[in-house]
Amino acid sequence: MFKGSLQDLLSNKKVMMKNMESGEQKSVTAVIHYFEKYSLKEIKFMKVQRLMMIGIFILPALLGLLTSCKYDVAEPMWDKPFTSPAAPAITQIDPSPVAKAGANTITIHGQNLVIGSDTTVVYFNNVRAEVKSISSTEIVVYRPNLVMQSGEIKVAPNKALVEAKYTPYNIDQVVEKYGNFLDNLPLAAVVADKSENLYVVESTARTIWKVTPDGQKTSLGTASRAPLDAKIGPDGNIYMTGNNRSIDKFDMQTGKAATWLQLAAGKLPKVCDFDANGNFYAAGTKSDLIIIAPDKTVKYANLYAKDDIQAIKISNGYIYLFVKTATPDANTPALAVFRHSIGSDGQLGAKELVFDWTATPFVDRSVKALTISSDGKIYLATDSKDPILIADPVSNTVDYLYKGILPSNCKQFCWGAGTNIYMISGDTQLSVNWTVYKVDTGIKSGISF
């Protein structure tokens, strides 16, 4: 590389060029040409001009950049005026002025019940209710687990500054322990007669208890074996099935239990019911639907020989069956409620699909019993939390009966002559105490006594 002053470069350019590489020669040639073309004063003047041009174009850009930086941060909150969120208001409650038996949900109507995507909580006195659905003008909550007289409903959107309040409001009692079963002894079956007398059979001791409507509890005798189901026959006696060939009868007059009918080998009914003509129906796992006439003539439906019939109930001229099908197909779901019309002689009509249980989120539950309400809904007892489910064949929906209120693990239930369902609750392995509850459904059953 060339080292020296600018004057040396101009005066000794030929000498310097000889001692340089070709690339260096090109660079130096360009510099020398530049200085030969312009005088030093001209070069200095041009530098000043260029600096002025840079200032003209660059400085405004820099100023714009610097002044725009203040918009890269959020505007200070103290620069904004406060806007109060809309106040919630309750205009109507359904049902009103009291949630009587049968009201599974309570609907709150109003304005600004929810603000944006924020949460809203609902209280009945100091009990928080579970929200089923919500919008800015309507909230549906499950009936809360309390009895309330002249109580207060509060709706509190999280972003609101005030609560919406409604008072007075009443909630009736719908469930209570019944029959004074306080010894935590396993219970097997329960059945009611047309006078609302309740009969409960213990599992271990097999004691049969009678509880009258006024609460009087007496021991009637002992069953031959622990049953899985029991029904009152046309003669007023108790008939029991227990996954055994023997169908037993407990005579109310003598207080004795004995075999009423011995079925063929392999026929082990678990569940049973009577129709209005005195025909007895029994079913179980791979035992088909068994039809026994009043004279004890036995015949089979020949429709469920490989299936597991887990519950049956007769209502308004039909027999309803909850069936786990061995070979499901497009027309026969794996779990479903079917029904048949029944003639006076027990003759069955065509098999009808009433409710596809496989389309519900409750397929893993064990169904213990079913019954029918007077409006055609199907009540199912299950061995789970929130144990009684209501299937509506019209809307094809399933909901809970009194979600969060009923005790868990319903082993068996029956509908009385009025609006009450009597349910056995208990599970020894899960440490759920065995007892009987009376549940007011607010509606009568669809069965006849």
PDB file of all heavy atoms in Angstrom, residues 217-246:
ATOM      1  N   LYS A 217     -92.452 -47.691  61.719  1.00  0.00           N
ATOM      2  CA  LYS A 217     -91.587 -48.713  61.108  1.00  0.00           C
ATOM      3  C   LYS A 217     -91.714 -50.020  61.883  1.00  0.00           C
ATOM      4  O   LYS A 217     -91.494 -50.063  63.095  1.00  0.00           O
ATOM      5  CB  LYS A 217     -90.133 -48.219  61.120  1.00  0.00           C
ATOM      6  CG  LYS A 217     -89.124 -49.182  60.522  1.00  0.00           C
ATOM      7  CD  LYS A 217     -87.717 -48.603  60.652  1.00  0.00           C
ATOM      8  CE  LYS A 217     -86.665 -49.559  60.139  1.00  0.00           C
ATOM      9  NZ  LYS A 217     -85.288 -49.055  60.337  1.00  0.00           N
ATOM     10  N   THR A 218     -92.055 -51.096  61.150  1.00  0.00           N
ATOM     11  CA  THR A 218     -92.219 -52.405  61.789  1.00  0.00           C
ATOM     12  C   THR A 218     -91.566 -53.485  60.938  1.00  0.00           C
ATOM     13  O   THR A 218     -91.483 -53.367  59.710  1.00  0.00           O
ATOM     14  CB  THR A 218     -93.708 -52.750  61.986  1.00  0.00           C
ATOM     15  OG1 THR A 218     -94.378 -52.678  60.716  1.00  0.00           O
ATOM     16  CG2 THR A 218     -94.371 -51.799  62.961  1.00  0.00           C
ATOM     17  N   SER A 219     -91.107 -54.534  61.591  1.00  0.00           N
ATOM     18  CA  SER A 219     -90.515 -55.682  60.908  1.00  0.00           C
ATOM     19  C   SER A 219     -91.623 -56.694  60.597  1.00  0.00           C
ATOM     20  O   SER A 219     -92.398 -57.080  61.483  1.00  0.00           O
ATOM     21  CB  SER A 219     -89.449 -56.328  61.794  1.00  0.00           C
ATOM     22  OG  SER A 219     -88.996 -57.528  61.213  1.00  0.00           O
ATOM     23  N   LEU A 220     -91.678 -57.121  59.331  1.00  0.00           N
ATOM     24  CA  LEU A 220     -92.724 -58.055  58.908  1.00  0.00           C
ATOM     25  C   LEU A 220     -92.246 -59.499  58.882  1.00  0.00           C
ATOM     26  O   LEU A 220     -93.052 -60.420  59.002  1.00  0.00           O
ATOM     27  CB  LEU A 220     -93.222 -57.680  57.506  1.00  0.00           C
ATOM     28  CG  LEU A 220     -93.835 -56.290  57.343  1.00  0.00           C
ATOM     29  CD1 LEU A 220     -94.298 -56.090  55.906  1.00  0.00           C
ATOM     30  CD2 LEU A 220     -94.996 -56.080  58.311  1.00  0.00           C
ATOM     31  N   GLY A 221     -90.966 -59.720  58.694  1.00  0.00           N
ATOM     32  CA  GLY A 221     -90.443 -61.079  58.579  1.00  0.00           C
ATOM     33  C   GLY A 221     -89.125 -61.062  57.841  1.00  0.00           C
ATOM     34  O   GLY A 221     -88.444 -60.035  57.756  1.00  0.00           O
ATOM     35  N   THR A 222     -88.787 -62.222  57.247  1.00  0.00           N
ATOM     36  CA  THR A 222     -87.490 -62.377  56.601  1.00  0.00           C
ATOM     37  C   THR A 222     -87.678 -62.964  55.210  1.00  0.00           C
ATOM     38  O   THR A 222     -88.457 -63.907  55.021  1.00  0.00           O
ATOM     39  CB  THR A 222     -86.581 -63.302  57.427  1.00  0.00           C
ATOM     40  OG1 THR A 222     -86.465 -62.780  58.755  1.00  0.00           O
ATOM     41  CG2 THR A 222     -85.203 -63.404  56.807  1.00  0.00           C
ATOM     42  N   ALA A 223     -86.933 -62.433  54.260  1.00  0.00           N
ATOM     43  CA  ALA A 223     -86.961 -62.965  52.893  1.00  0.00           C
ATOM     44  C   ALA A 223     -86.118 -64.234  52.812  1.00  0.00           C
ATOM     45  O   ALA A 223     -85.216 -64.464  53.625  1.00  0.00           O
ATOM     46  CB  ALA A 223     -86.422 -61.930  51.915  1.00  0.00           C
ATOM     47  N   SER A 224     -86.414 -65.086  51.842  1.00  0.00           N
ATOM     48  CA  SER A 224     -85.657 -66.325  51.665  1.00  0.00           C
ATOM     49  C   SER A 224     -84.214 -66.057  51.266  1.00  0.00           C
ATOM     50  O   SER A 224     -83.298 -66.774  51.644  1.00  0.00           O
ATOM     51  CB  SER A 224     -86.322 -67.203  50.599  1.00  0.00           C
ATOM     52  OG  SER A 224     -87.651 -67.505  50.955  1.00  0.00           O
ATOM     53  N   ARG A 225     -84.020 -65.017  50.478  1.00  0.00           N
ATOM     54  CA  ARG A 225     -82.681 -64.609  50.020  1.00  0.00           C
ATOM     55  C   ARG A 225     -82.718 -63.111  49.756  1.00  0.00           C
ATOM     56  O   ARG A 225     -83.799 -62.527  49.615  1.00  0.00           O
ATOM     57  CB  ARG A 225     -82.257 -65.375  48.769  1.00  0.00           C
ATOM     58  CG  ARG A 225     -83.232 -65.227  47.611  1.00  0.00           C
ATOM     59  CD  ARG A 225     -82.816 -66.069  46.416  1.00  0.00           C
ATOM     60  NE  ARG A 225     -82.725 -67.465  46.752  1.00  0.00           N
ATOM     61  CZ  ARG A 225     -83.731 -68.334  46.806  1.00  0.00           C
ATOM     62  NH1 ARG A 225     -84.970 -67.903  46.540  1.00  0.00           N
ATOM     63  NH2 ARG A 225     -83.561 -69.594  47.109  1.00  0.00           N
ATOM     64  N   ALA A 226     -81.543 -62.500  49.698  1.00  0.00           N
ATOM     65  CA  ALA A 226     -81.495 -61.063  49.429  1.00  0.00           C
ATOM     66  C   ALA A 226     -81.930 -60.811  47.993  1.00  0.00           C
ATOM     67  O   ALA A 226     -81.314 -61.322  47.045  1.00  0.00           O
ATOM     68  CB  ALA A 226     -80.085 -60.541  49.650  1.00  0.00           C
ATOM     69  N   PRO A 227     -82.980 -60.016  47.780  1.00  0.00           N
ATOM     70  CA  PRO A 227     -83.463 -59.785  46.421  1.00  0.00           C
ATOM     71  C   PRO A 227     -82.702 -58.649  45.738  1.00  0.00           C
ATOM     72  O   PRO A 227     -82.019 -57.853  46.397  1.00  0.00           O
ATOM     73  CB  PRO A 227     -84.916 -59.407  46.630  1.00  0.00           C
ATOM     74  CG  PRO A 227     -84.907 -58.692  47.953  1.00  0.00           C
ATOM     75  CD  PRO A 227     -83.854 -59.371  48.779  1.00  0.00           C
ATOM     76  N   LEU A 228     -82.852 -58.561  44.437  1.00  0.00           N
ATOM     77  CA  LEU A 228     -82.376 -57.421  43.661  1.00  0.00           C
ATOM     78  C   LEU A 228     -83.533 -56.511  43.255  1.00  0.00           C
ATOM     79  O   LEU A 228     -83.322 -55.349  42.932  1.00  0.00           O
ATOM     80  CB  LEU A 228     -81.625 -57.893  42.417  1.00  0.00           C
ATOM     81  CG  LEU A 228     -80.322 -58.656  42.666  1.00  0.00           C
ATOM     82  CD1 LEU A 228     -79.738 -59.153  41.349  1.00  0.00           C
ATOM     83  CD2 LEU A 228     -79.322 -57.793  43.410  1.00  0.00           C
ATOM     84  N   ASP A 229     -84.753 -57.068  43.277  1.00  0.00           N
ATOM     85  CA  ASP A 229     -85.934 -56.285  42.931  1.00  0.00           C
ATOM     86  C   ASP A 229     -87.134 -56.884  43.650  1.00  0.00           C
ATOM     87  O   ASP A 229     -87.141 -58.080  44.001  1.00  0.00           O
ATOM     88  CB  ASP A 229     -86.154 -56.290  41.415  1.00  0.00           C
ATOM     89  CG  ASP A 229     -87.052 -55.153  40.941  1.00  0.00           C
ATOM     90  OD1 ASP A 229     -87.444 -54.310  41.777  1.00  0.00           O
ATOM     91  OD2 ASP A 229     -87.348 -55.093  39.727  1.00  0.00           O
ATOM     92  N   ALA A 230     -88.146 -56.055  43.870  1.00  0.00           N
ATOM     93  CA  ALA A 230     -89.351 -56.511  44.551  1.00  0.00           C
ATOM     94  C   ALA A 230     -90.545 -55.715  44.040  1.00  0.00           C
ATOM     95  O   ALA A 230     -90.434 -54.529  43.745  1.00  0.00           O
ATOM     96  CB  ALA A 230     -89.203 -56.348  46.059  1.00  0.00           C
ATOM     97  N   LYS A 231     -91.700 -56.370  43.926  1.00  0.00           N
ATOM     98  CA  LYS A 231     -92.928 -55.716  43.487  1.00  0.00           C
ATOM     99  C   LYS A 231     -94.104 -56.240  44.293  1.00  0.00           C
ATOM    100  O   LYS A 231     -94.109 -57.393  44.751  1.00  0.00           O
ATOM    101  CB  LYS A 231     -93.176 -55.968  41.986  1.00  0.00           C
ATOM    102  CG  LYS A 231     -92.150 -55.322  41.080  1.00  0.00           C
ATOM    103  CD  LYS A 231     -92.205 -53.809  41.147  1.00  0.00           C
ATOM    104  CE  LYS A 231     -91.238 -53.144  40.180  1.00  0.00           C
ATOM    105  NZ  LYS A 231     -89.826 -53.355  40.569  1.00  0.00           N
ATOM    106  N   ILE A 232     -95.126 -55.384  44.443  1.00  0.00           N
ATOM    107  CA  ILE A 232     -96.370 -55.787  45.107  1.00  0.00           C
ATOM    108  C   ILE A 232     -97.271 -56.431  44.059  1.00  0.00           C
ATOM    109  O   ILE A 232     -97.553 -55.842  43.007  1.00  0.00           O
ATOM    110  CB  ILE A 232     -97.093 -54.588  45.736  1.00  0.00           C
ATOM    111  CG1 ILE A 232     -96.169 -53.868  46.727  1.00  0.00           C
ATOM    112  CG2 ILE A 232     -98.389 -55.032  46.425  1.00  0.00           C
ATOM    113  CD1 ILE A 232     -95.819 -54.651  47.950  1.00  0.00           C
ATOM    114  N   GLY A 233     -97.742 -57.650  44.328  1.00  0.00           N
ATOM    115  CA  GLY A 233     -98.609 -58.355  43.390  1.00  0.00           C
ATOM    116  C   GLY A 233    -100.060 -57.959  43.534  1.00  0.00           C
ATOM    117  O   GLY A 233    -100.433 -57.214  44.461  1.00  0.00           O
ATOM    118  N   PRO A 234    -100.911 -58.433  42.628  1.00  0.00           N
ATOM    119  CA  PRO A 234    -102.347 -58.131  42.704  1.00  0.00           C
ATOM    120  C   PRO A 234    -102.978 -58.609  44.001  1.00  0.00           C
ATOM    121  O   PRO A 234    -104.010 -58.071  44.427  1.00  0.00           O
ATOM    122  CB  PRO A 234    -102.932 -58.883  41.496  1.00  0.00           C
ATOM    123  CG  PRO A 234    -101.773 -59.114  40.583  1.00  0.00           C
ATOM    124  CD  PRO A 234    -100.575 -59.256  41.453  1.00  0.00           C
ATOM    125  N   ASP A 235    -102.367 -59.606  44.650  1.00  0.00           N
ATOM    126  CA  ASP A 235    -102.897 -60.139  45.907  1.00  0.00           C
ATOM    127  C   ASP A 235    -102.365 -59.397  47.124  1.00  0.00           C
ATOM    128  O   ASP A 235    -102.662 -59.757  48.268  1.00  0.00           O
ATOM    129  CB  ASP A 235    -102.580 -61.633  46.024  1.00  0.00           C
ATOM    130  CG  ASP A 235    -101.088 -61.913  45.896  1.00  0.00           C
ATOM    131  OD1 ASP A 235    -100.289 -60.941  45.754  1.00  0.00           O
ATOM    132  OD2 ASP A 235    -100.700 -63.093  45.926  1.00  0.00           O
ATOM    133  N   GLY A 236    -101.562 -58.350  46.912  1.00  0.00           N
ATOM    134  CA  GLY A 236    -101.028 -57.570  48.019  1.00  0.00           C
ATOM    135  C   GLY A 236     -99.761 -58.124  48.628  1.00  0.00           C
ATOM    136  O   GLY A 236     -99.236 -57.542  49.588  1.00  0.00           O
ATOM    137  N   ASN A 237     -99.251 -59.239  48.117  1.00  0.00           N
ATOM    138  CA  ASN A 237     -98.028 -59.830  48.628  1.00  0.00           C
ATOM    139  C   ASN A 237     -96.805 -59.310  47.863  1.00  0.00           C
ATOM    140  O   ASN A 237     -96.932 -58.720  46.786  1.00  0.00           O
ATOM    141  CB  ASN A 237     -98.094 -61.358  48.540  1.00  0.00           C
ATOM    142  CG  ASN A 237     -99.187 -61.925  49.414  1.00  0.00           C
ATOM    143  OD1 ASN A 237     -99.345 -61.524  50.583  1.00  0.00           O
ATOM    144  ND2 ASN A 237     -99.985 -62.843  48.865  1.00  0.00           N
ATOM    145  N   ILE A 238     -95.617 -59.564  48.413  1.00  0.00           N
ATOM    146  CA  ILE A 238     -94.377 -59.079  47.808  1.00  0.00           C
ATOM    147  C   ILE A 238     -93.729 -60.214  47.023  1.00  0.00           C
ATOM    148  O   ILE A 238     -93.495 -61.315  47.563  1.00  0.00           O
ATOM    149  CB  ILE A 238     -93.395 -58.559  48.885  1.00  0.00           C
ATOM    150  CG1 ILE A 238     -94.036 -57.442  49.703  1.00  0.00           C
ATOM    151  CG2 ILE A 238     -92.109 -58.062  48.233  1.00  0.00           C
ATOM    152  CD1 ILE A 238     -93.166 -56.963  50.862  1.00  0.00           C
ATOM    153  N   TYR A 239     -93.410 -59.930  45.759  1.00  0.00           N
ATOM    154  CA  TYR A 239     -92.728 -60.883  44.892  1.00  0.00           C
ATOM    155  C   TYR A 239     -91.312 -60.371  44.623  1.00  0.00           C
ATOM    156  O   TYR A 239     -91.117 -59.183  44.328  1.00  0.00           O
ATOM    157  CB  TYR A 239     -93.502 -61.062  43.588  1.00  0.00           C
ATOM    158  CG  TYR A 239     -94.843 -61.738  43.788  1.00  0.00           C
ATOM    159  CD1 TYR A 239     -95.933 -61.038  44.316  1.00  0.00           C
ATOM    160  CD2 TYR A 239     -95.020 -63.077  43.474  1.00  0.00           C
ATOM    161  CE1 TYR A 239     -97.154 -61.660  44.521  1.00  0.00           C
ATOM    162  CE2 TYR A 239     -96.246 -63.710  43.671  1.00  0.00           C
ATOM    163  CZ  TYR A 239     -97.307 -62.993  44.193  1.00  0.00           C
ATOM    164  OH  TYR A 239     -98.517 -63.621  44.406  1.00  0.00           O
ATOM    165  N   MET A 240     -90.353 -61.290  44.708  1.00  0.00           N
ATOM    166  CA  MET A 240     -88.948 -60.876  44.656  1.00  0.00           C
ATOM    167  C   MET A 240     -88.144 -61.735  43.691  1.00  0.00           C
ATOM    168  O   MET A 240     -88.343 -62.959  43.602  1.00  0.00           O
ATOM    169  CB  MET A 240     -88.326 -60.968  46.060  1.00  0.00           C
ATOM    170  CG  MET A 240     -88.921 -59.993  47.061  1.00  0.00           C
ATOM    171  SD  MET A 240     -88.385 -60.306  48.769  1.00  0.00           S
ATOM    172  CE  MET A 240     -89.452 -61.677  49.207  1.00  0.00           C
ATOM    173  N   THR A 241     -87.221 -61.075  42.976  1.00  0.00           N
ATOM    174  CA  THR A 241     -86.256 -61.754  42.105  1.00  0.00           C
ATOM    175  C   THR A 241     -84.855 -61.398  42.586  1.00  0.00           C
ATOM    176  O   THR A 241     -84.611 -60.284  43.055  1.00  0.00           O
ATOM    177  CB  THR A 241     -86.429 -61.325  40.643  1.00  0.00           C
ATOM    178  OG1 THR A 241     -86.427 -59.890  40.569  1.00  0.00           O
ATOM    179  CG2 THR A 241     -87.725 -61.844  40.057  1.00  0.00           C
ATOM    180  N   GLY A 242     -83.908 -62.354  42.419  1.00  0.00           N
ATOM    181  CA  GLY A 242     -82.560 -62.111  42.940  1.00  0.00           C
ATOM    182  C   GLY A 242     -81.463 -62.829  42.210  1.00  0.00           C
ATOM    183  O   GLY A 242     -80.563 -63.392  42.838  1.00  0.00           O
ATOM    184  N   ASN A 243     -81.526 -62.849  40.862  1.00  0.00           N
ATOM    185  CA  ASN A 243     -80.520 -63.551  40.059  1.00  0.00           C
ATOM    186  C   ASN A 243     -80.502 -65.033  40.432  1.00  0.00           C
ATOM    187  O   ASN A 243     -79.443 -65.646  40.577  1.00  0.00           O
ATOM    188  CB  ASN A 243     -79.130 -62.928  40.254  1.00  0.00           C
ATOM    189  CG  ASN A 243     -78.168 -63.307  39.142  1.00  0.00           C
ATOM    190  OD1 ASN A 243     -78.569 -63.543  38.009  1.00  0.00           O
ATOM    191  ND2 ASN A 243     -76.881 -63.378  39.474  1.00  0.00           N
ATOM    192  N   ASN A 244     -81.696 -65.578  40.518  1.00  0.00           N
ATOM    193  CA  ASN A 244     -81.867 -66.968  40.922  1.00  0.00           C
ATOM    194  C   ASN A 244     -83.039 -67.559  40.159  1.00  0.00           C
ATOM    195  O   ASN A 244     -83.956 -66.832  39.765  1.00  0.00           O
ATOM    196  CB  ASN A 244     -82.115 -67.039  42.444  1.00  0.00           C
ATOM    197  CG  ASN A 244     -82.034 -68.431  42.997  1.00  0.00           C
ATOM    198  OD1 ASN A 244     -82.968 -69.225  42.863  1.00  0.00           O
ATOM    199  ND2 ASN A 244     -80.910 -68.737  43.651  1.00  0.00           N
ATOM    200  N   ARG A 245     -83.023 -68.868  39.958  1.00  0.00           N
ATOM    201  CA  ARG A 245     -84.138 -69.520  39.266  1.00  0.00           C
ATOM    202  C   ARG A 245     -85.448 -69.358  40.037  1.00  0.00           C
ATOM    203  O   ARG A 245     -86.527 -69.374  39.453  1.00  0.00           O
ATOM    204  CB  ARG A 245     -83.859 -71.012  39.106  1.00  0.00           C
ATOM    205  CG  ARG A 245     -82.762 -71.343  38.121  1.00  0.00           C
ATOM    206  CD  ARG A 245     -82.473 -72.834  38.156  1.00  0.00           C
ATOM    207  NE  ARG A 245     -83.662 -73.606  37.864  1.00  0.00           N
ATOM    208  CZ  ARG A 245     -83.772 -74.933  38.095  1.00  0.00           C
ATOM    209  NH1 ARG A 245     -82.773 -75.588  38.636  1.00  0.00           N
ATOM    210  NH2 ARG A 245     -84.889 -75.567  37.784  1.00  0.00           N
ATOM    211  N   SER A 246     -85.346 -69.183  41.325  1.00  0.00           N
ATOM    212  CA  SER A 246     -86.527 -69.119  42.171  1.00  0.00           C
ATOM    213  C   SER A 246     -87.064 -67.691  42.262  1.00  0.00           C
ATOM    214  O   SER A 246     -86.323 -66.754  42.559  1.00  0.00           O
ATOM    215  CB  SER A 246     -86.184 -69.634  43.575  1.00  0.00           C
ATOM    216  OG  SER A 246     -87.298 -69.499  44.424  1.00  0.00           O
TER     217      SER A 246
END
